Amino acid sequence: MTAKWLIPTVIYIFANGGLGITSKYALRDLKWQHLIFWSGLGYVMLVIVMLIIGKTSVQWTDGSGWAALGAAAVIIALFMFFVALSTGEAGKVVPISAAYPAVTLFLAAIFLSEAVTVAKLLGVALVVGGVAVLTTAE
């Protein structure tokens, strides 16, 4: 049986991969500030639909602060991604931005007490090495 996380993860990969292309096309006619507007509108529409169909509700719990911090991280990340794409090549900006697993690995070790294994370090080294190859090769 396929793990429940696999299909959403594959969709995430394709959606995130397509984001660099769709954003770069949009930046031909718009400024990055306009992309922030459209992204925000999309989030608002998604929340409204989820509220209407009963897939979410407004609640305040101990985890709400972490959720707000996570939302802030996503907003800052997307904002910086659009700024970077407005001046850089998608073929360089996107691979460099894909190096975030290295940050996650070390933060998970520090804050979540997750083990840093040789396999994880090797994986991060491959990611960082791949970014270096993609961004320095002409």
Side-chain angles (χ1 to χ4, degrees):
M1 182 173 134
T2 304
K4 289 184 178 183
W5 57 264
L6 184 59
I7 291 173
T9 301
V10 171
I11 293 169
Y12 167 83
I13 290 167
F14 280 93
N16 218 22
L19 178 63
I21 305 305
T22 58
S23 299
K24 198 63 177 176
Y25 271 123
L27 287 166
R28 290 179 173 179
D29 300 310
L30 302 172
K31 294 181 180 178
W32 62 263
Q33 293 92 333
H34 298 115
L35 295 181
I36 297 295
F37 168 80
W38 286 108
S39 297
L41 183 61
Y43 278 116
V44 168
M45 291 171 53
L46 178 61
V47 167
I48 289 170
V49 168
M50 288 179 68
L51 284 167
I52 290 171
I53 64 174
K55 292 293 183 182
T56 194
S57 62
V58 178
Q59 56 179 290
W60 300 98
T61 66
D62 290 340
S64 296
W66 288 109
L69 189 59
V74 167
I75 291 166
I76 291 167
L78 192 58
F79 169 68
M80 290 292 112
F81 181 72
F82 289 156
V83 170
L85 272 179
S86 71
T87 57
E89 296 176 28
K92 288 189 177 186
V93 170
V94 174
I96 290 174
S97 70
Y100 68 86
V103 175
T104 302
L105 175 72
F106 293 111
L107 291 178
I110 294 167
F111 294 104
L112 303 175
S113 301
E114 291 186 6
V116 177
T117 64
V118 172
K120 288 179 183 178
L121 288 172
L122 182 59
V124 167
L126 288 170
V127 168
V128 173
V131 167
V133 168
L134 285 171
T135 56
T136 58
E138 288 299 320

